[in-house]
Amino acid sequence: MTIASKKTRLHHWHVSNGAKMAVFGGYSMPLWYSSAKNEHLAVLIRAGLFDTGHMAAITVEGPDAHDLLQNCFTKDLDACLGKIAAPIREGRCVYGAFLTPDGGVIDDSIVYKRSEGRYLVVVNAGMGADISAHLTAQRNSRNVTVTDMTDQLGKIDIQGPLAARILARILTDAHRVLDAMPYFSFKGSFDEKYPVSVAVRLKEGIPLLLSRTGYTGEFGFELFMAADRTSAVWNALFKAGEPLGLAACGLAARDSLRGGAVLPLSHQDIGPWPFINHPWPFALPFNAGGDGFTKSFIGDRALLNAGPPAYTLAFAGQDLRKVSIHDPAFAMDVSGTRIGDVLTCVTDMGIDRVNGQIVSVASPDKPREFKPRGLCCGFIKIDRMLPAGQKVRLKDNRRTIDVTIVDDIRPNRTARCKIEQML
């Protein structure tokens, strides 16, 4: 029996504007409109608009909300901000994961501190019920309420160097709202009844939670609103941004952008294996010596005592050719011995190699007339640690390609740029 897919509040807009649709996470979602390449490049050079209404959100509220999240979430909320590892505070958010006792990933997440004892937990499509059940099961005698907000909120991402300029056209008192918003901070609320120190509203009066985060590696924002306001916010953004080259973007560009930015896809690059030995050590609360953690949490012992280790490493290819993870594809050393599996292999169409170095279409020092052909990139999970620069071969049923282990992929990403320079 075929199970009908869910639809976001923007489904009619996508179909009416010629989107190629597919089911992802149980939702009918746009893959692309014009082409994945055009949409990918729009985010690097101008801005792209993404319907992310398939994502799930959970509220965790009560006197013991902080304690529950400290027990279940990998990030140490008492030591997670900046170089001095300050505690999380109102208006800040952090990335981490929820693990099983054996250290495997249930899902990754961003946790937002809205006020003392009030948190918002954003997880992937279809995971609202699972993470809500996990938190509820760990609640025990704690005074905390866990509420699955799935399909009650709308969510839209605007990503790219012009994102703030476009937002400034539609926000009430935009200068005040956008002033001093560091990476992984947020302002406002999607709930009109919720008291916040700085309100964020469209000029039409629609309240928003505006978060300076995203899943592309580029400068941008994620916007949360009441579900029935989603279309109005999307239309306002599109109208304001279209003269500046804003493009509606689908999941294909989202996937290629996050691949080039070395960002994992939950249930693909991270999953039911120990959440360690990967490119995102900041998601774990390592102590100064790197041999333990600054707090106890579900799965911590399993991570520190993992058996035969698996390593998740990023790679970049020599050209745009890629392998398919659905064949499936595997990784070999230069002698042809299989050493692991390919988790992600996408093509970042905004980069290419120049004299052996990766250059982005957004790089300030790119050669004149630079036209990137694109490079394949992604993640492999293998049975050994390899240093950056090590050559590896990937193989599927169609081809074998040579790639290089890297610490980073797309240079000159803008996600961490100061908001002042983006305005």
Side-chain angles (χ1 to χ4, degrees):
M1 182 179 69
T2 301
I3 299 175
S5 59
K6 299 171 100 175
K7 296 179 175 63
T8 71
R9 296 296 182 111
L10 295 169
H11 182 268
H12 178 72
W13 194 97
H14 302 319
V15 173
S16 298
N17 284 271
K20 169 68 174 177
M21 305 295 289
V23 176
F24 178 81
Y27 288 79
S28 177
M29 297 294 294
L31 287 179
W32 62 78
Y33 300 85
S34 59
S35 75
K37 176 180 179 179
N38 290 343
E39 293 159 25
H40 181 111
L41 292 175
V43 172
L44 298 186
I45 301 169
R46 301 182 301 276
L49 200 59
F50 298 82
D51 175 11
T52 52
H54 60 311
M55 300 289 283
I58 301 157
T59 58
V60 182
E61 301 182 341
D64 298 324
H66 179 91
D67 184 58
L68 175 62
L69 289 170
Q70 278 288 74
N71 182 56
C72 297
F73 192 54
T74 59
K75 200 77 168 181
D76 187 346
L77 301 180
D78 289 332
C80 61
L81 296 183
K83 294 180 180 180
I84 63 171
I88 193 171
R89 59 181 182 270
E90 181 179 344
R92 297 304 299 266
C93 50
V94 291
Y95 171 82
F98 294 99
L99 307 183
T100 61
D102 62 4
V105 175
I106 306 171
D107 202 20
D108 62 355
S109 173
I110 294 180
V111 169
Y112 296 72
K113 183 170 183 177
R114 303 177 71 195
S115 63
E116 199 63 39
R118 303 184 75 169
Y119 293 84
L120 180 71
V121 176
V122 178
V123 295
N124 287 285
M127 292 304 297
D130 293 60
I131 297 300
S132 292
H134 176 66
L135 290 169
T136 299
Q138 299 298 326
R139 185 176 56 188
N140 299 320
S141 61
R142 295 182 179 93
N143 184 359
V144 58
T145 301
V146 177
T147 305
D148 182 4
M149 300 287 289
T150 298
D151 297 328
Q152 296 181 48
L153 295 181
K155 184 172 178 293
I156 297 168
D157 295 5
I158 182 168
Q159 301 280 293
L162 300 184
R165 289 173 58 185
I166 293 168
L167 272 173
R169 295 182 171 198
I170 65 171
L171 290 173
T172 297
D173 199 0
H175 176 76
R176 173 184 55 79
V177 172
L178 297 173
D179 180 55
M181 278 195 78
Y183 192 42
F184 269 70
S185 69
F186 69 96
K187 294 180 180 179
S189 175
F190 45 79
D191 182 357
E192 294 187 74
K193 299 178 181 178
Y194 185 74
V196 291
S197 57
V198 179
V200 180
R201 292 178 179 268
L202 296 191
K203 291 179 180 178
E204 292 86 349
I206 299 173
L208 302 172
L209 188 155
L210 181 66
S211 175
R212 205 190 136 184
T213 47
Y215 193 47
T216 64
E218 302 304 322
F219 177 80
F221 301 86
E222 297 182 274
L223 289 71
F224 299 81
M225 69 292 302
D228 60 0
R229 304 291 187 91
T230 308
S231 292
V233 176
W234 178 275
N235 290 334
L237 284 164
F238 203 81
K239 181 179 179 181
E242 199 168 21
L244 298 178
L246 176 70
C249 299
L251 291 178
R254 186 172 168 89
D255 200 34
S256 57
L257 286 160
R258 68 93 186 169
V262 199
L263 298 174
L265 177 60
S266 191
H267 312 292
Q268 183 168 303
D269 302 316
I270 52 178
W273 60 86
F275 184 60
I276 202 163
N277 301 324
H278 52 61
W280 323 288
F282 54 83
L284 288 168
F286 283 107
N287 60 24
D291 57 355
F293 299 129
T294 58
K295 69 163 188 174
S296 297
F297 58 95
I298 295 172
D300 59 350
R301 293 296 96 192
L303 297 185
L304 295 174
N305 299 303
Y311 296 88
T312 300
L313 305 176
F315 69 84
Q318 304 304 312
D319 52 42
L320 55 75
R321 294 178 306 147
K322 59 185 180 180
V323 295
S324 172
I325 64 171
H326 303 295
D327 273 352
F330 59 89
M332 305 180 292
D333 62 20
V334 292
S335 71
T337 302
R338 182 168 178 163
I339 56 175
D341 300 309
V342 181
L343 302 173
T344 281
C345 189
V346 296
T347 300
D348 187 325
M349 296 304 303
I351 59 176
D352 206 342
R353 292 186 182 273
V354 177
N355 298 323
Q357 299 298 312
I358 299 177
V359 177
S360 167
V361 69
S363 296
D365 57 348
K366 65 181 180 292
R368 292 185 63 183
E369 307 302 323
F370 176 70
K371 293 183 179 179
R373 296 168 298 172
L375 297 177
C376 83
C377 56
F379 300 103
I380 55 175
K381 181 161 74 79
I382 61 176
D383 62 7
R384 64 199 69 177
M385 181 62 192
L386 297 176
Q390 180 70 48
K391 303 296 184 182
V392 174
R393 286 180 175 162
L394 310 183
K395 180 176 176 57
D396 65 7
N397 290 327
R398 298 175 300 157
R399 61 171 63 102
T400 300
I401 61 174
D402 291 328
V403 302
T404 304
I405 301 300
V406 293
D407 292 325
D408 202 4
I409 302 175
R410 187 171 69 244
N412 304 110
R413 298 195 297 275
T414 56
R416 296 180 179 273
C417 287
K418 291 184 177 181
I419 198 166
E420 294 79 10
Q421 74 184 80
M422 309 307 285
L423 283 166

